[in-house]
Amino acid sequence: MESSEATRDRLLQAAGEEFACKGFECARIREICIRASANVASVNYHFGDKEKLYIEAVLEAHRCGPGADEEAVDPMAGPDEQLRSFIRHFLGRVLAMQAPDDWRHRLMLRELLHPSSASDALIRESIRPRFDQLQRILRRFCPEAEVRRLNALAFSVIGQCLHYKMARPIAERLIGPEGIEALDLEFLTDHIATFCLAALGVVPPFDAAGESVREEARSSAGS
Amino acid sequence: MESSEATRDRLLQAAGEEFACKGFECARIREICIRASANVASVNYHFGDKEKLYIEAVLEAHRCGPGADEEAVDPMAGPDEQLRSFIRHFLGRVLAMQAPDDWRHRLMLRELLHPSSASDALIRESIRPRFDQLQRILRRFCPEAEVRRLNALAFSVIGQCLHYKMARPIAERLIGPEGIEALDLEFLTDHIATFCLAALGVVPPFDAAGESVREEARSSAGS
Amino acid sequence: MESSEATRDRLLQAAGEEFACKGFECARIREICIRASANVASVNYHFGDKEKLYIEAVLEAHRCGPGADEEAVDPMAGPDEQLRSFIRHFLGRVLAMQAPDDWRHRLMLRELLHPSSASDALIRESIRPRFDQLQRILRRFCPEAEVRRLNALAFSVIGQCLHYKMARPIAERLIGPEGIEALDLEFLTDHIATFCLAALGVVPPFDAAGESVREEARSSAGS
Amino acid sequence: MESSEATRDRLLQAAGEEFACKGFECARIREICIRASANVASVNYHFGDKEKLYIEAVLEAHRCGPGADEEAVDPMAGPDEQLRSFIRHFLGRVLAMQAPDDWRHRLMLRELLHPSSASDALIRESIRPRFDQLQRILRRFCPEAEVRRLNALAFSVIGQCLHYKMARPIAERLIGPEGIEALDLEFLTDHIATFCLAALGVVPPFDAAGESVREEARSSAGS
DNA sequence: AATGAATGAGCCTTCATTCAT
DNA sequence: GATGAATGAAGGCTCATTCAT
């Protein structure tokens, strides 16, 4: 049957969506089957188990996920341009995670918070490469920094980006929907990139407005 | 009856732990009652509902949680000292969240990710005050910055700190347990504070190791 | 304590209402206690049991219920006048059963349909006397009728009256609310009394409108 | 699958019996499933709900119930013959309701007293047709009677019949089992029909025994 | 004497899973 | 190979009842 493979795929797709937006426990196997126009027993038939289906869905998520991200950063560019580019792409993916068909990223995010047995492959093939890439970029800024510092730097970059996904519901309540709206991809990319580059001592910190403060603060820091 | 209040408290404590580590859906009311040495119907009697118990637990979490944080930051100190102090306390709380009896923070974190009807009070009385406090500190660095920038700055600070809680399981797999171990409260406080202050132009970025890079990067940035 | 007796009475009153409108099974002991401003344990304390409370409520219902009904029928009147009077009173009570404080009759009606152990006393002291009274009245119409006929006659009278209580919800759907409204106490008393008296051959059947039909029907009956 | 339909039917049958003799609230879903040799979850699978099962049972009750009643009354017969025929059939059904397997009628009776959401269809398809039929018959006796009178007449007929079902437990205690026994279908049909026809002025009231009384009563009525 | 707290049995429902076809 | 029916284990909740005070 050719429909066998097709059903399997539909199940995987439906499972991905369901797991992504409800989590493993709250996802209903029946709902998945209905979405996939398949029988209730299909999941057990094709995957044996709810958990095995979940793992398959997560693997599928990163398998069919973004692959050309590595090339997104121009290897010939300067380190600051590379970092800016990395942030733009990473942030772009994070902010786009609201899209209904973007269950792959949402699923990966869930794995970030609550790693399951599926996350080994996920880390190996999807997360670590990007993490290493980021570290290679950062290494160019601090060639002699110890590993610990490099890790912390990488987490500082990633943490700022991910926060807009993680804490979005709360952020929205804190600064209002229009406040969130104002923090669009363009602005945030520039903000975080500038923030990090300034922290790395590459570019002057932000706008003129901060200049005066900088002086004041610097003197107070010196005291 | 004093025993009534006592049982209620035991239930609240047990519920807090259970909800904190399993989430609302996966927490079993029976387990909570067993932990609290109470009857299965106790929850219904004292709180009426599983959900009402959850809300009560969340409120209890922030009620008995840290409240004297406001005083933690010396109002007479300079802005850089205040920021450093804020980060230390915030991070301290985040990193301490692993403690088994620290269900209060884990519960609040869950609310961060999946706000429920209990999060209104949580935001109002616990989160917003700290957020406002951070913005007041940051305002001293950028007196004329627009609101949007201030929001982004605050999120940059918070995001870096929270990341160590949010993505800890994955981080541990990325850099190994000893890598995580190395990132202790002292180091991270200094790292994030320095990172932020450098980004704000107050202190020179990091250590001598970075200096040379800065020069190189700056020239490449200028190209 | 004087309040002891008072609480008992309030419980009885509240139980009567609750049982009357929800039935034994659906009545909630907690609701009764709330209504009576009493403790949840009051019922068990004062009556020992939900069922015992029910029985007490039923007995109370007929005890404090109508007692002067016997006198309502003038013993010196003619049989037709007595029957008319009986129907008026019986029907009046049936139709008034909607009143919120008239739980006594509603409770007795419930006993009619689903006799419990409480109904013995109810029948003995409340129902049978009226039944006997009706039969005495009917006996005057048919002095030589056999017992079976007299029973059937009594049930014919009672059945017509009770039907307006029993099947009211359905009747309302059949002929509409305004249809029910039109069947008020005055009209129904006259209708049923005339119907019965005509059946007993005392008065001519109904109005002139029926006269012609009677002739036609009588001839068809004779065929 | 044929077995599916079979199980559904067994559940419906078992539910009908259980609901008929215990009512909706007191009926236990577990008991129903045991009776139907089915799993506890079967009800949920086949009907979704206890209430939906109830509704389905009520609909089934009237669906498979008596349907050829319309033909039971000879349209060519005279009105008195039609009325007598109607009463015989109606009463027959009412009196037969004691049979253990006759849950359909008992269920319909419950709906009479406590209409649920299932009673709409019941009224529309089962009760109203008979009611209309009866009114058409009565109309022949009183061609010019107002609607109100016709309604009251119909209820007088129905009320007398239904009373033997409604109040049977009490009636049995009032006149004893043998008294009830004596009121068999044959006797009651004749009694009620004669009672009504006499009330409608078609036939002379009852037997010779009553004749003399009629004279006496008539004179007393005239006084 | 009377109460508030606590109990445990039992109900309906949900769900992942298995089985016969 | 694939399905619809059936399963049984929990889960949350309700309720009458009991107990300690």
Side-chain angles (χ1 to χ4, degrees):
Chain A
M1 284 283 174
E2 60 166 356
S3 87
S4 174
E5 200 65 19
T7 300
R8 220 190 100 104
D9 282 354
R10 284 205 315 279
L11 279 173
L12 226 38
Q13 176 76 19
E17 296 170 11
E18 186 81 356
F19 284 134
C21 64
K22 298 191 186 166
F24 177 75
E25 325 281 350
C26 295
R28 302 293 164 224
I29 225 174
R30 183 150 286 156
E31 183 66 22
I32 292 173
C33 291
I34 291 174
R35 279 206 205 190
S37 314
N39 191 274
V40 220
S42 306
V43 164
N44 289 61
Y45 178 74
H46 283 284
F47 301 92
D49 215 343
K50 185 189 185 182
E51 192 180 353
K52 297 210 188 75
L53 170 63
Y54 177 74
I55 294 176
E56 280 306 310
V58 172
L59 294 184
E60 167 80 3
H62 90 85
R63 195 178 301 135
C64 304
D69 279 325
E70 184 78 27
E71 282 74 43
V73 173
D74 179 8
M76 309 307 286
D80 56 337
E81 184 51 43
Q82 285 188 331
L83 181 59
R84 197 174 284 270
S85 181
F86 181 91
I87 290 172
R88 180 184 304 114
H89 285 97
F90 192 76
L91 202 53
R93 230 176 303 116
V94 164
L95 293 182
M97 234 174 262
Q98 313 291 42
D101 65 326
D102 193 17
W103 55 271
R104 293 174 220 275
H105 289 119
R106 289 208 303 272
L107 210 48
M108 288 170 58
L109 188 69
R110 280 193 178 273
E111 280 299 305
L112 268 186
L113 299 175
H114 312 295
S116 75
S117 54
S119 56
D120 280 333
L122 194 62
I123 291 175
R124 184 168 10 93
E125 303 185 29
S126 189
I127 297 178
R128 182 177 296 285
R130 287 185 209 161
F131 187 73
D132 290 347
Q133 180 188 30
L134 174 59
Q135 285 204 320
R136 279 196 303 276
I137 296 173
L138 291 171
R139 172 59 77 196
R140 297 183 65 186
F141 291 94
C142 323
E144 302 172 24
E146 54 175 350
V147 172
R148 182 169 66 157
R149 165 102 317 141
L150 217 58
N151 285 338
L153 281 173
F155 287 150
S156 280
V157 175
I158 293 173
Q160 289 180 72
C161 297
L162 275 181
H163 186 258
Y164 289 96
K165 176 58 194 165
M166 303 279 201
R168 162 169 280 246
I170 293 298
E172 193 161 339
R173 298 210 198 183
L174 276 177
I175 64 175
E178 66 284 353
I180 289 289
E181 204 69 30
L183 301 174
D184 58 3
L185 175 58
E186 204 51 43
F187 177 81
L188 281 181
T189 298
D190 188 65
H191 169 82
I192 296 177
T194 303
F195 192 90
C196 293
L197 289 173
L200 292 165
V202 178
V203 299
F206 293 110
D207 48 21
E211 289 295 322
S212 58
V213 183
R214 192 168 14 150
E215 299 311 312
E216 179 221 341
R218 180 164 291 173
S219 59
S220 105
S223 66
Chain B
M1 290 282 170
E2 62 167 355
S3 126
S4 172
E5 202 66 20
T7 302
R8 221 191 99 106
D9 282 354
R10 285 204 317 279
L11 280 173
L12 224 40
Q13 177 77 20
E17 296 168 12
E18 187 81 355
F19 283 135
C21 65
K22 297 191 188 167
F24 178 75
E25 327 278 350
C26 296
R28 299 295 162 223
I29 227 176
R30 192 152 296 169
E31 182 67 21
I32 292 174
C33 290
I34 291 174
R35 280 205 205 191
S37 314
N39 190 274
V40 215
S42 304
V43 165
N44 198 267
Y45 176 76
H46 284 283
F47 301 92
D49 218 342
K50 184 187 185 183
E51 191 180 355
K52 297 210 189 74
L53 170 63
Y54 177 76
I55 292 176
E56 218 46 49
V58 172
L59 294 184
E60 167 79 3
H62 92 84
R63 197 179 299 135
C64 302
D69 281 324
E70 184 77 28
E71 280 74 42
V73 173
D74 179 9
M76 308 307 286
D80 55 338
E81 186 51 43
Q82 284 188 331
L83 182 60
R84 197 174 286 269
S85 181
F86 180 91
I87 290 172
R88 181 184 305 113
H89 286 96
F90 193 76
L91 203 52
R93 232 176 303 115
V94 165
L95 294 182
M97 235 175 262
Q98 313 293 47
D101 65 326
D102 193 16
W103 55 270
R104 291 173 221 275
H105 289 120
R106 289 208 305 272
L107 210 48
M108 288 172 58
L109 188 69
R110 278 192 180 272
E111 280 298 305
L112 268 186
L113 299 176
H114 312 296
S116 76
S117 53
S119 56
D120 280 332
L122 195 62
I123 291 176
R124 184 168 11 92
E125 302 184 30
S126 188
I127 297 178
R128 183 178 294 285
R130 287 183 208 164
F131 187 73
D132 290 347
Q133 181 188 27
L134 174 58
Q135 286 205 319
R136 279 197 301 276
I137 296 173
L138 292 171
R139 173 59 78 193
R140 296 184 67 184
F141 292 95
C142 322
E144 301 173 23
E146 54 175 351
V147 172
R148 182 168 65 156
R149 165 103 318 141
L150 217 58
N151 285 336
L153 282 172
F155 286 150
S156 280
V157 175
I158 294 174
Q160 288 180 74
C161 298
L162 276 181
H163 186 257
Y164 289 95
K165 174 56 194 164
M166 302 278 201
R168 163 169 281 246
I170 292 298
E172 194 160 339
R173 300 211 197 181
L174 276 176
I175 65 176
E178 66 285 352
I180 288 288
E181 206 67 33
L183 300 174
D184 59 2
L185 174 58
E186 204 50 45
F187 176 80
L188 281 180
T189 298
D190 188 65
H191 169 81
I192 296 178
T194 303
F195 192 90
C196 293
L197 288 172
L200 291 164
V202 177
V203 301
F206 294 111
D207 48 21
E211 288 294 320
S212 59
V213 183
R214 192 169 16 150
E215 298 312 310
E216 179 222 341
R218 180 163 292 170
S219 59
S220 106
S223 68
Chain C
M1 283 283 173
E2 60 166 358
S3 88
S4 173
E5 201 65 20
T7 299
R8 221 191 99 104
D9 282 354
R10 284 205 315 280
L11 278 173
L12 227 39
Q13 176 76 19
E17 297 171 9
E18 187 81 355
F19 284 134
C21 64
K22 298 191 187 167
F24 177 75
E25 325 281 349
C26 295
R28 302 293 163 224
I29 227 175
R30 183 148 288 157
E31 183 66 23
I32 292 174
C33 291
I34 290 174
R35 278 206 205 191
S37 315
N39 191 276
V40 219
S42 305
V43 164
N44 289 61
Y45 178 75
H46 283 284
F47 300 92
D49 215 343
K50 185 187 185 184
E51 191 179 353
K52 297 209 188 76
L53 170 63
Y54 178 75
I55 294 176
E56 280 307 309
V58 172
L59 293 183
E60 167 79 3
H62 91 86
R63 196 179 301 136
C64 302
D69 279 326
E70 185 76 28
E71 281 74 44
V73 173
D74 179 8
M76 309 307 287
D80 54 340
E81 185 51 42
Q82 284 187 330
L83 182 60
R84 197 174 284 269
S85 181
F86 180 91
I87 290 172
R88 181 184 304 113
H89 285 96
F90 192 75
L91 202 52
R93 232 176 302 115
V94 164
L95 293 183
M97 233 175 262
Q98 313 292 41
D101 65 325
D102 193 17
W103 54 271
R104 292 173 220 276
H105 289 119
R106 289 208 303 272
L107 211 47
M108 288 170 58
L109 187 69
R110 280 193 178 272
E111 280 298 307
L112 268 186
L113 298 176
H114 312 294
S116 74
S117 54
S119 57
D120 281 332
L122 194 63
I123 292 174
R124 183 168 11 91
E125 303 185 29
S126 189
I127 297 177
R128 180 177 298 285
R130 287 184 209 162
F131 188 73
D132 289 348
Q133 180 189 30
L134 174 59
Q135 286 206 318
R136 279 197 302 276
I137 295 173
L138 291 170
R139 172 60 76 197
R140 296 184 66 185
F141 292 94
C142 322
E144 302 173 22
E146 53 176 349
V147 172
R148 181 167 69 155
R149 164 102 318 142
L150 217 56
N151 286 336
L153 281 174
F155 287 149
S156 281
V157 174
I158 293 173
Q160 289 180 72
C161 296
L162 275 181
H163 186 258
Y164 289 95
K165 176 60 193 163
M166 303 279 201
R168 161 168 282 246
I170 293 298
E172 194 161 338
R173 297 210 197 182
L174 276 176
I175 63 176
E178 66 283 353
I180 289 288
E181 204 69 30
L183 300 175
D184 59 2
L185 174 59
E186 204 52 41
F187 176 81
L188 282 181
T189 298
D190 188 67
H191 170 82
I192 296 178
T194 304
F195 192 90
C196 293
L197 288 173
L200 291 164
V202 178
V203 300
F206 294 110
D207 47 19
E211 288 295 322
S212 58
V213 183
R214 194 166 18 150
E215 298 311 312
E216 180 221 342
R218 180 163 292 173
S219 61
S220 106
S223 69
Chain D
M1 288 285 170
E2 62 166 356
S3 127
S4 171
E5 202 66 21
T7 302
R8 220 190 100 105
D9 282 354
R10 286 204 316 279
L11 279 172
L12 224 40
Q13 177 75 19
E17 296 170 11
E18 187 81 355
F19 283 134
C21 66
K22 297 191 186 168
F24 177 76
E25 328 277 350
C26 296
R28 299 296 162 218
I29 227 176
R30 188 153 299 167
E31 184 65 22
I32 292 174
C33 290
I34 291 175
R35 280 205 204 191
S37 314
N39 189 274
V40 216
S42 305
V43 164
N44 197 267
Y45 177 76
H46 283 283
F47 301 93
D49 219 342
K50 185 186 185 183
E51 191 180 354
K52 295 209 190 77
L53 170 63
Y54 178 75
I55 292 177
E56 219 45 47
V58 172
L59 294 185
E60 167 80 4
H62 93 86
R63 196 178 300 134
C64 302
D69 281 324
E70 183 77 27
E71 281 73 43
V73 173
D74 179 8
M76 309 306 287
D80 56 338
E81 185 50 44
Q82 285 189 330
L83 183 60
R84 195 174 286 269
S85 181
F86 180 92
I87 290 171
R88 181 184 304 112
H89 285 98
F90 192 77
L91 202 52
R93 231 175 304 116
V94 165
L95 293 182
M97 236 176 262
Q98 312 293 48
D101 66 326
D102 193 14
W103 54 271
R104 291 173 221 275
H105 290 120
R106 290 207 305 271
L107 210 47
M108 287 171 59
L109 188 69
R110 279 192 179 272
E111 280 296 307
L112 268 186
L113 299 177
H114 311 296
S116 75
S117 53
S119 56
D120 280 332
L122 194 63
I123 292 175
R124 182 167 13 93
E125 301 185 31
S126 188
I127 298 178
R128 182 178 295 286
R130 288 183 205 162
F131 187 73
D132 290 347
Q133 181 189 29
L134 173 58
Q135 285 205 319
R136 280 197 301 276
I137 296 173
L138 292 171
R139 172 59 78 193
R140 297 184 67 183
F141 292 95
C142 323
E144 301 174 23
E146 54 174 351
V147 172
R148 183 167 66 155
R149 165 100 322 138
L150 216 58
N151 285 336
L153 282 172
F155 287 148
S156 281
V157 175
I158 293 174
Q160 288 180 74
C161 298
L162 275 181
H163 186 258
Y164 289 95
K165 173 56 194 162
M166 303 278 200
R168 163 169 282 245
I170 292 298
E172 192 160 341
R173 300 211 197 181
L174 276 175
I175 64 177
E178 65 286 351
I180 288 290
E181 206 68 33
L183 300 175
D184 59 3
L185 175 59
E186 204 50 45
F187 176 79
L188 282 181
T189 299
D190 188 65
H191 169 81
I192 295 177
T194 304
F195 192 90
C196 294
L197 288 172
L200 291 165
V202 178
V203 301
F206 293 109
D207 49 18
E211 287 295 322
S212 57
V213 183
R214 188 162 27 143
E215 298 313 310
E216 179 219 342
R218 182 164 289 174
S219 59
S220 107
S223 68

